[in-house]
Amino acid sequence: MSANSDRARLLITCPEKPGIISAVTSVLTDHHANIVKFDQHTTDPQDGVFFMRIEFELDDYEGSYEKLTEDIHVITEEYPMDWHLSSKKKRKRMAIFVSKMDHCLMELIWRWRSNELPVDIPMVISNHADLKDEVESHGIPYHHIPITKETKGQAEQQALELLEGKVDFIVLARYMQILSPNFVSQFPDQIINIHHSFLPAFVGANPYARAFNRGVKLIGATAHFVTNDLDEGPIIHQDVKQVDHRYTVEDLKTSGRHVERSVLAQAVSWQLEDRITVHGNKTIVFT
Amino acid sequence: MSANSDRARLLITCPEKPGIISAVTSVLTDHHANIVKFDQHTTDPQDGVFFMRIEFELDDYEGSYEKLTEDIHVITEEYPMDWHLSSKKKRKRMAIFVSKMDHCLMELIWRWRSNELPVDIPMVISNHADLKDEVESHGIPYHHIPITKETKGQAEQQALELLEGKVDFIVLARYMQILSPNFVSQFPDQIINIHHSFLPAFVGANPYARAFNRGVKLIGATAHFVTNDLDEGPIIHQDVKQVDHRYTVEDLKTSGRHVERSVLAQAVSWQLEDRITVHGNKTIVFT
Amino acid sequence: MSANSDRARLLITCPEKPGIISAVTSVLTDHHANIVKFDQHTTDPQDGVFFMRIEFELDDYEGSYEKLTEDIHVITEEYPMDWHLSSKKKRKRMAIFVSKMDHCLMELIWRWRSNELPVDIPMVISNHADLKDEVESHGIPYHHIPITKETKGQAEQQALELLEGKVDFIVLARYMQILSPNFVSQFPDQIINIHHSFLPAFVGANPYARAFNRGVKLIGATAHFVTNDLDEGPIIHQDVKQVDHRYTVEDLKTSGRHVERSVLAQAVSWQLEDRITVHGNKTIVFT
Amino acid sequence: MSANSDRARLLITCPEKPGIISAVTSVLTDHHANIVKFDQHTTDPQDGVFFMRIEFELDDYEGSYEKLTEDIHVITEEYPMDWHLSSKKKRKRMAIFVSKMDHCLMELIWRWRSNELPVDIPMVISNHADLKDEVESHGIPYHHIPITKETKGQAEQQALELLEGKVDFIVLARYMQILSPNFVSQFPDQIINIHHSFLPAFVGANPYARAFNRGVKLIGATAHFVTNDLDEGPIIHQDVKQVDHRYTVEDLKTSGRHVERSVLAQAVSWQLEDRITVHGNKTIVFT
């Protein structure tokens, strides 16, 4: 492979229509692309929605880019599809929002440092100053934007200005503020939250105390996209851990933290590799 | 060990008070009992509730029984405890209630036949006739008691008469009828149900369809004791399985069935070995 | 969809060469096939081996079959591939070999009866008579072929005659005899065995006793294809369960049985849906 | 509870003999100890070995210590037991040995910083300088002791001098050197290693490459005590993760790292709470 070669991913959503796979792969073949991974899903083979993710290698990705996108565009006349093309060489940019708890933040930073998460982190934004030194010690800018009931709109505006043109998606790593509809609308399907329970169990606040009171034998976490329906956004990933009567609320929180960080890190990893497509209130995740 | 030797279990619930462990174990030592397993739990070491399960071997269990229970009774003057003594040789008697789906029923029967569940099954009761031949082929009496809205009270009465003095506990193996408060009150903490979701997610009907619509990435099952608060009884055991966007509602049901049967069989196994204590709306399970 | 419509699966193994996906999907598009599932894998996008599984619907599968296979054959001139086409309507035929332990056998029969395993079971073959009644009660022919050191060759010959033209693959459901190279060579990549440990841990006999002695904290099972290198055949599926110091050898066996039956049933399910391709000593499993 | 109160743990190993539980708990009752957790295990109720772990609260632990240990000593005349008493207030001291890979080290440091691991870390010792800055940034002394074939004895001597009287146990957090019998003998059952496979699978070097070549569907990790039989020491904890044909060796390593760090951190957590007893080549872990 030449130095200009790159690996790219093509994500497609389209009303189901026979022939779409061969139409798209023919374009890639014409460009001498080498398909490395191929996944597809359909909600209904007759008249559902079709989803496709193709990962391919191209010798001169940059040089071919314009013509390739033109050729894909031609197909859209017959197949009215949404499509998104991205390359591995161009790192995504992720902002992290955090409050005081650092476990999810540290997991993301640790995986970023060890190159497990090939991403740029242009900034961390927090409504508290607690984690400033820790974050800055890794060379990541930390913006402390305090929030009170009165200043919420203004604080969000400040955050939006910082983010403007700088990030591709946002991760709420135990950020204990509810984002306004205005803010959320600026990043559709681009804000990943970690919910500290396995939704829809224990929607809302204090899930660990409520899990303790209910006497459940499982605790878990859910990574989901943020929409304006609180805790109702499309679920990306979930996992649980068995617990028993000996667990105090504190023990549940401790165990929960480990589930939270692995679930969130996994969701972010999939986001970086364009593996997630949102369809209505669900996700298709091509793992 | 002599032929008269037996293994017994002593289950105790008591307000927390120092010295209870040595008081109880001294009695057992006086009887030359050999403690094989010992578990305890306290909700609060200062003034909580104390739970204890002791499994012990006794050379002449039957011969010692009267004196042993008297000696335990003496302790209750200082330690006002609820206690329950049972022996391994005396098999518990389990009635199974079932409707049309056979997977939980068959799992219980299979484990019973292979001696994994050392239990007697004096009867299966069903509101349908579908599984009659299958059950009877294993030598288990099958009572078909049809239920309509109008005949419900009468049907329950008929079941109660069949059960009278014949069973120690009841298992609802996907029994699709809601038991009346009157019925439930006859078997406090003695009716085990399998709920086809990981409670409190998807409480109530059609959990698989609702899980599908919500786009969750986990499906699961919950074994719990039946109380008059529907789906709110003490949880005994739960487990889940990861699923993804490719699962249809049917696929979720199929996967769910396997979780249901292992979760229910596990709960029944614990019940047979007196490992479960109910405390309020929770269980202590000494695994 | 018409009554003649069917769902088919095309499994392909081919040296990696650009364009193969579009070549194959174009043929299917020409036949108005509706691709429902598509999976592929490559050992190396440059010069590795390429694997593909396509599940598609066709309005008149039977009527199209001859022309479709001809068209696929044409592609093989440019893409020298091994391919295999099968339809959902044509059930595979599975023989089960068993000795005395019935848990894996019963799990397969239970899933077959509940239509989870859409397969025909023309016969069960055993070196013992123990399970004859049980198997025959489900309407499945049971052949008891005793085996001694001296009669082994003859016994295998007898089995081969019974199997001749009657089965597509064989499942060893805890069959405690080692098949001869001659027998194995008659069913290349068509004999699935359940090994009662997570290979390559505890290769060979008495894995539970050895696991107990080694003090491991996991027990498990492995489903694999049988080759003439004992316990070295391509692994299809594995799973484990956490255990602890309280487990006796008997407890390990009991827990192990549950892992064994779910692992084997899963492997058989994949086999029925043509999801498994063997490549060297490994499997590609398109789940 | 008074300010002097403390929580203590009594670990006992003793030849099985009836009455030991009541003898020990009577001593604790006499001291007005409040038993919070109690676990026991026996290899054989008739003539096996008995293990017990009691966690209890004492109002004036320090003031009672001398008399309490005397009273326990008295029991040992009748019950010839090994026993070990430790208190929660007195933190254990852990040295970490590491080479170049930082994931296990960082997990331990992260859990230490978040108070999940209540331990003192007086030093990190490494045969490489790579992680010096990272470790020192957390205020932990870092000793770089290079090792060559020729200097190995000398290097171990240097390490032993640094450790002398400073640590209670050692964790090998992916330390890529084999310790000499002399070194190991100084810390019997006090050196915890993380093995990058689920022993006894893939004993020795390069487990991920070997797992890849064998085509296994599970990768895992084992935490065990170090003995002079390489990779044969008593297993403390194991866990696995399902993998499939799509995993490259690198992917296996990445997934493995996450299993390694959680398995090792769990083992260390148990060690800190005196939950682990070694018996022959096995561990009893009272979780």
Side-chain angles (χ1 to χ4, degrees):
Chain A
M1 295 177 66
S2 71
N4 291 328
S5 83
D6 200 352
R7 189 174 278 212
R9 301 138 192 159
L10 177 60
L11 263 184
I12 287 173
T13 301
C14 187
E16 183 71 61
K17 188 173 171 187
I20 184 165
I21 293 179
S22 88
V24 173
T25 55
S26 294
V27 167
L28 292 173
T29 303
D30 292 347
H31 281 264
H32 305 291
N34 220 332
I35 294 178
V36 177
K37 291 199 176 127
F38 187 109
D39 288 286
Q40 61 83 44
H41 177 66
T42 177
T43 59
D44 181 338
Q46 298 311 314
D47 55 4
V49 179
F50 175 84
F51 307 91
M52 181 159 56
R53 179 186 183 273
I54 305 180
E55 199 171 322
F56 58 94
E57 289 180 349
L58 210 52
D59 260 357
D60 181 13
Y61 180 75
E62 227 168 300
S64 313
Y65 184 79
E66 199 177 324
K67 182 69 171 64
L68 178 61
T69 54
E70 272 171 28
D71 290 353
I72 295 173
H73 191 72
V74 168
I75 309 176
T76 62
E77 285 166 29
E78 194 171 347
Y79 300 96
M81 64 197 193
D82 289 331
W83 59 280
H84 174 73
L85 184 64
S86 67
S87 88
K88 199 175 177 181
K89 278 191 180 159
K90 195 176 171 197
R91 285 178 162 231
K92 286 192 170 35
R93 300 161 304 166
M94 165 177 77
I96 304 175
F97 280 46
V98 70
S99 290
K100 291 184 169 185
M101 274 172 291
D102 72 346
H103 57 287
C104 286
L105 172 74
M106 291 311 297
E107 183 73 16
L108 294 177
I109 289 179
W110 182 82
R111 295 201 190 195
W112 166 71
R113 284 179 55 200
S114 65
N115 291 318
E116 271 188 48
L117 293 179
V119 67
D120 289 335
I121 308 180
M123 72 190 76
V124 169
I125 290 177
S126 178
N127 55 332
H128 294 283
D130 305 50
L131 302 171
K132 186 177 173 62
D133 289 353
E134 176 69 38
V135 169
E136 289 182 346
S137 79
H138 297 289
I140 304 170
Y142 187 92
H143 302 286
H144 175 208
I145 306 180
I147 297 184
T148 63
K149 224 176 187 175
E150 291 73 30
T151 65
K152 180 155 179 164
Q154 190 183 327
E156 281 197 348
Q157 195 51 43
Q158 195 180 340
L160 284 173
E161 280 160 23
L162 285 167
L163 296 163
E164 174 80 37
K166 297 269 180 46
V167 304
D168 296 306
F169 69 104
I170 294 170
V171 173
L172 309 184
R174 297 301 308 272
Y175 181 65
M176 308 307 277
Q177 293 282 329
I178 295 170
L179 298 171
S180 73
N182 172 49
F183 189 100
V184 172
S185 69
Q186 311 283 313
F187 294 92
D189 301 339
Q190 289 164 312
I191 307 176
I192 295 175
N193 184 42
I194 182 71
H195 194 279
H196 34 320
S197 92
F198 45 103
L199 294 175
F202 308 117
V203 165
N206 298 323
Y208 292 115
R210 287 155 64 208
F212 178 82
N213 290 330
R214 181 62 187 90
V216 294
K217 305 296 188 183
L218 295 174
I219 53 114
T222 303
H224 66 99
F225 285 113
V226 175
T227 62
N228 287 317
D229 294 318
L230 190 62
D231 298 339
E232 294 290 328
I235 293 171
I236 303 166
H237 188 41
Q238 304 188 285
D239 202 2
V240 296
K241 192 189 171 299
Q242 303 250 8
V243 295
D244 64 33
H245 60 271
R246 296 172 301 180
Y247 283 68
T248 62
V249 175
E250 274 317 301
D251 294 335
L252 294 179
K253 284 182 183 172
T254 300
S255 288
R257 278 202 296 267
H258 298 304
V259 184
E260 289 170 20
R261 54 193 189 124
S262 74
V263 165
L264 179 60
Q266 178 65 82
V268 169
S269 175
W270 287 336
Q271 173 76 356
L272 294 182
E273 296 174 341
D274 296 297
R275 295 185 178 281
I276 316 172
T277 301
V278 173
H279 177 59
N281 199 41
K282 295 184 179 188
T283 62
I284 287 91
V285 184
F286 293 121
T287 57
Chain B
M1 295 177 66
S2 71
N4 291 328
S5 83
D6 200 351
R7 190 174 280 212
R9 303 139 191 157
L10 178 59
L11 261 184
I12 288 173
T13 302
C14 187
E16 182 71 61
K17 188 173 172 187
I20 184 166
I21 293 178
S22 87
V24 173
T25 55
S26 294
V27 167
L28 293 173
T29 303
D30 292 347
H31 281 265
H32 305 293
N34 221 333
I35 294 177
V36 177
K37 288 197 179 131
F38 187 109
D39 287 286
Q40 60 84 44
H41 176 67
T42 177
T43 60
D44 181 338
Q46 298 310 314
D47 54 5
V49 179
F50 175 85
F51 307 90
M52 184 157 57
R53 179 185 183 274
I54 304 180
E55 197 170 324
F56 58 94
E57 289 181 349
L58 210 54
D59 260 357
D60 181 12
Y61 179 77
E62 229 167 299
S64 313
Y65 183 80
E66 197 177 327
K67 181 70 171 64
L68 178 61
T69 54
E70 273 171 27
D71 290 353
I72 295 172
H73 191 73
V74 168
I75 309 177
T76 62
E77 286 166 29
E78 194 172 348
Y79 300 96
M81 63 197 196
D82 290 332
W83 59 280
H84 175 73
L85 185 63
S86 67
S87 88
K88 200 176 176 179
K89 277 191 182 162
K90 195 176 171 197
R91 284 178 161 232
K92 287 191 169 37
R93 303 161 302 169
M94 166 177 77
I96 303 175
F97 280 47
V98 71
S99 291
K100 292 185 169 184
M101 275 171 291
D102 71 347
H103 57 288
C104 286
L105 172 75
M106 291 311 296
E107 182 74 19
L108 294 176
I109 289 180
W110 183 82
R111 295 201 189 196
W112 165 72
R113 286 178 55 200
S114 64
N115 291 318
E116 271 188 49
L117 293 179
V119 68
D120 288 337
I121 308 180
M123 71 190 76
V124 168
I125 290 178
S126 178
N127 55 332
H128 294 283
D130 304 50
L131 303 171
K132 186 175 173 63
D133 290 351
E134 175 69 39
V135 167
E136 290 182 344
S137 79
H138 297 288
I140 305 170
Y142 187 93
H143 302 287
H144 174 207
I145 307 180
I147 298 185
T148 63
K149 225 177 185 174
E150 291 71 32
T151 64
K152 180 157 182 162
Q154 190 183 326
E156 280 197 350
Q157 194 50 43
Q158 195 180 340
L160 283 172
E161 279 159 25
L162 285 166
L163 296 163
E164 176 78 38
K166 296 268 181 47
V167 304
D168 297 304
F169 70 102
I170 294 170
V171 173
L172 310 184
R174 299 300 308 271
Y175 181 64
M176 308 309 276
Q177 292 284 329
I178 294 169
L179 299 170
S180 74
N182 172 50
F183 189 101
V184 172
S185 69
Q186 312 282 313
F187 295 92
D189 301 339
Q190 289 165 312
I191 307 174
I192 295 175
N193 183 41
I194 182 72
H195 194 279
H196 34 322
S197 91
F198 47 102
L199 295 175
F202 308 116
V203 165
N206 297 324
Y208 293 115
R210 287 155 64 209
F212 177 81
N213 289 331
R214 180 64 188 89
V216 295
K217 304 297 188 183
L218 296 173
I219 53 113
T222 302
H224 65 99
F225 284 114
V226 174
T227 62
N228 287 316
D229 293 318
L230 189 63
D231 298 340
E232 294 290 327
I235 293 171
I236 301 167
H237 188 41
Q238 303 188 285
D239 203 1
V240 296
K241 193 187 170 301
Q242 303 252 7
V243 295
D244 64 34
H245 60 270
R246 297 172 299 181
Y247 283 68
T248 62
V249 174
E250 274 318 301
D251 294 334
L252 293 179
K253 284 182 183 173
T254 301
S255 289
R257 279 202 297 266
H258 298 303
V259 184
E260 288 170 20
R261 54 194 190 123
S262 74
V263 165
L264 180 60
Q266 177 65 82
V268 169
S269 175
W270 288 335
Q271 173 76 355
L272 294 181
E273 296 175 340
D274 297 296
R275 296 184 178 281
I276 315 172
T277 301
V278 173
H279 176 60
N281 200 41
K282 296 185 180 186
T283 61
I284 287 89
V285 183
F286 292 122
T287 56
Chain C
M1 295 178 66
S2 71
N4 292 328
S5 83
D6 201 350
R7 189 174 280 212
R9 304 138 192 157
L10 178 58
L11 263 184
I12 288 173
T13 301
C14 187
E16 181 72 60
K17 186 173 173 187
I20 184 166
I21 294 178
S22 88
V24 173
T25 55
S26 292
V27 167
L28 293 172
T29 303
D30 291 349
H31 281 265
H32 305 293
N34 220 333
I35 294 178
V36 177
K37 288 194 180 135
F38 187 109
D39 287 285
Q40 60 84 43
H41 176 67
T42 178
T43 59
D44 181 339
Q46 298 309 316
D47 54 5
V49 179
F50 175 84
F51 306 91
M52 182 158 57
R53 179 186 184 273
I54 304 180
E55 198 170 325
F56 59 93
E57 289 180 348
L58 210 53
D59 260 359
D60 181 12
Y61 180 76
E62 229 167 299
S64 312
Y65 184 79
E66 197 177 326
K67 181 70 170 64
L68 178 60
T69 54
E70 273 172 25
D71 291 352
I72 294 172
H73 191 72
V74 169
I75 308 178
T76 61
E77 286 166 28
E78 194 172 347
Y79 300 96
M81 64 197 195
D82 288 333
W83 60 278
H84 175 72
L85 184 64
S86 66
S87 87
K88 199 175 177 180
K89 278 191 180 161
K90 194 177 172 199
R91 285 177 162 234
K92 287 191 168 37
R93 301 160 304 167
M94 166 176 77
I96 304 176
F97 280 47
V98 71
S99 291
K100 291 184 170 186
M101 275 172 292
D102 71 346
H103 57 287
C104 286
L105 171 75
M106 291 311 297
E107 182 73 18
L108 293 177
I109 289 180
W110 183 82
R111 295 201 191 196
W112 166 71
R113 286 178 54 200
S114 64
N115 292 318
E116 271 188 48
L117 293 180
V119 68
D120 288 338
I121 308 179
M123 72 190 76
V124 168
I125 290 178
S126 179
N127 54 332
H128 295 282
D130 304 51
L131 303 171
K132 186 176 173 62
D133 290 352
E134 176 69 40
V135 167
E136 289 182 345
S137 79
H138 296 289
I140 304 169
Y142 186 94
H143 302 286
H144 175 207
I145 307 180
I147 298 185
T148 63
K149 225 177 184 174
E150 292 70 31
T151 64
K152 181 158 180 159
Q154 189 184 329
E156 280 197 352
Q157 195 50 43
Q158 194 179 341
L160 283 172
E161 280 161 23
L162 285 167
L163 296 163
E164 175 78 38
K166 296 270 182 44
V167 305
D168 297 305
F169 69 103
I170 294 170
V171 173
L172 309 183
R174 299 300 308 272
Y175 181 65
M176 308 308 277
Q177 293 283 330
I178 295 170
L179 299 170
S180 73
N182 172 50
F183 189 101
V184 172
S185 69
Q186 312 283 312
F187 294 93
D189 302 338
Q190 288 164 313
I191 308 175
I192 295 176
N193 184 42
I194 182 71
H195 193 279
H196 34 323
S197 92
F198 46 103
L199 295 175
F202 308 117
V203 166
N206 298 323
Y208 292 116
R210 288 155 64 209
F212 178 81
N213 290 330
R214 180 61 187 91
V216 294
K217 304 297 188 183
L218 295 173
I219 53 113
T222 302
H224 66 99
F225 284 113
V226 174
T227 63
N228 288 317
D229 294 317
L230 190 62
D231 298 340
E232 294 291 326
I235 293 172
I236 302 167
H237 188 40
Q238 305 188 284
D239 203 2
V240 297
K241 193 187 169 300
Q242 304 252 5
V243 295
D244 63 35
H245 60 271
R246 296 172 301 182
Y247 283 68
T248 61
V249 175
E250 273 317 300
D251 293 335
L252 293 180
K253 284 182 183 172
T254 300
S255 289
R257 279 201 296 266
H258 298 303
V259 184
E260 288 169 20
R261 54 194 189 123
S262 75
V263 165
L264 179 61
Q266 177 65 82
V268 168
S269 174
W270 288 335
Q271 173 76 355
L272 295 182
E273 296 174 342
D274 296 298
R275 295 185 178 281
I276 315 173
T277 300
V278 173
H279 177 60
N281 199 42
K282 296 185 180 186
T283 62
I284 287 90
V285 184
F286 292 122
T287 56
Chain D
M1 294 178 65
S2 72
N4 292 329
S5 82
D6 200 352
R7 189 174 278 213
R9 302 138 193 158
L10 178 59
L11 262 185
I12 286 172
T13 302
C14 187
E16 182 71 61
K17 188 173 173 186
I20 184 166
I21 293 179
S22 88
V24 173
T25 55
S26 293
V27 167
L28 292 173
T29 302
D30 292 347
H31 281 266
H32 305 293
N34 220 332
I35 294 177
V36 178
K37 290 198 176 128
F38 187 109
D39 287 285
Q40 61 84 44
H41 176 67
T42 178
T43 59
D44 182 338
Q46 298 310 314
D47 55 5
V49 180
F50 175 83
F51 307 91
M52 181 158 56
R53 179 185 182 274
I54 305 181
E55 198 171 323
F56 59 94
E57 289 181 349
L58 211 53
D59 261 358
D60 181 12
Y61 180 76
E62 228 168 299
S64 312
Y65 183 79
E66 198 177 325
K67 182 69 172 63
L68 178 61
T69 54
E70 273 171 25
D71 291 353
I72 295 172
H73 191 73
V74 168
I75 310 176
T76 61
E77 286 165 28
E78 193 171 348
Y79 300 96
M81 64 197 193
D82 289 331
W83 59 280
H84 174 73
L85 184 64
S86 67
S87 87
K88 198 176 179 180
K89 277 190 180 161
K90 194 176 171 198
R91 284 176 163 233
K92 286 191 170 36
R93 300 160 305 167
M94 166 176 76
I96 303 175
F97 280 46
V98 71
S99 290
K100 291 183 168 185
M101 274 171 293
D102 71 346
H103 57 288
C104 286
L105 172 75
M106 292 311 298
E107 183 73 17
L108 293 176
I109 289 180
W110 182 82
R111 294 201 191 195
W112 166 71
R113 283 178 57 200
S114 65
N115 291 318
E116 270 187 50
L117 293 179
V119 68
D120 288 337
I121 308 179
M123 72 190 75
V124 169
I125 290 178
S126 178
N127 55 332
H128 294 282
D130 304 49
L131 302 171
K132 186 175 172 62
D133 290 352
E134 176 68 39
V135 169
E136 290 182 346
S137 79
H138 295 290
I140 304 170
Y142 186 93
H143 302 287
H144 174 208
I145 307 181
I147 298 184
T148 64
K149 225 177 186 176
E150 292 73 31
T151 65
K152 180 156 180 164
Q154 189 184 328
E156 279 198 349
Q157 195 51 43
Q158 195 180 339
L160 283 171
E161 280 160 24
L162 285 167
L163 296 164
E164 175 79 39
K166 297 268 181 46
V167 305
D168 296 305
F169 69 104
I170 294 169
V171 174
L172 309 184
R174 297 301 306 273
Y175 181 65
M176 308 307 277
Q177 293 283 328
I178 294 170
L179 298 170
S180 73
N182 172 50
F183 189 101
V184 171
S185 69
Q186 311 284 313
F187 295 92
D189 301 339
Q190 289 164 312
I191 307 175
I192 295 175
N193 184 41
I194 181 73
H195 193 281
H196 34 320
S197 92
F198 46 103
L199 296 175
F202 308 117
V203 166
N206 298 324
Y208 293 115
R210 287 155 65 209
F212 177 82
N213 289 331
R214 181 63 188 88
V216 295
K217 304 297 189 183
L218 294 174
I219 54 115
T222 302
H224 66 98
F225 284 113
V226 175
T227 62
N228 287 316
D229 295 317
L230 190 62
D231 298 339
E232 293 291 327
I235 293 172
I236 303 166
H237 187 42
Q238 303 188 287
D239 203 1
V240 296
K241 192 188 170 302
Q242 304 250 8
V243 295
D244 64 34
H245 61 271
R246 296 171 301 179
Y247 283 68
T248 62
V249 175
E250 274 317 301
D251 294 335
L252 294 179
K253 284 182 183 174
T254 300
S255 288
R257 278 202 297 266
H258 298 303
V259 184
E260 289 171 19
R261 53 192 191 125
S262 75
V263 165
L264 179 61
Q266 178 65 81
V268 168
S269 174
W270 287 336
Q271 172 76 354
L272 294 182
E273 297 175 340
D274 295 297
R275 296 185 178 281
I276 316 173
T277 300
V278 173
H279 177 61
N281 199 41
K282 294 185 179 186
T283 62
I284 287 90
V285 183
F286 293 122
T287 56

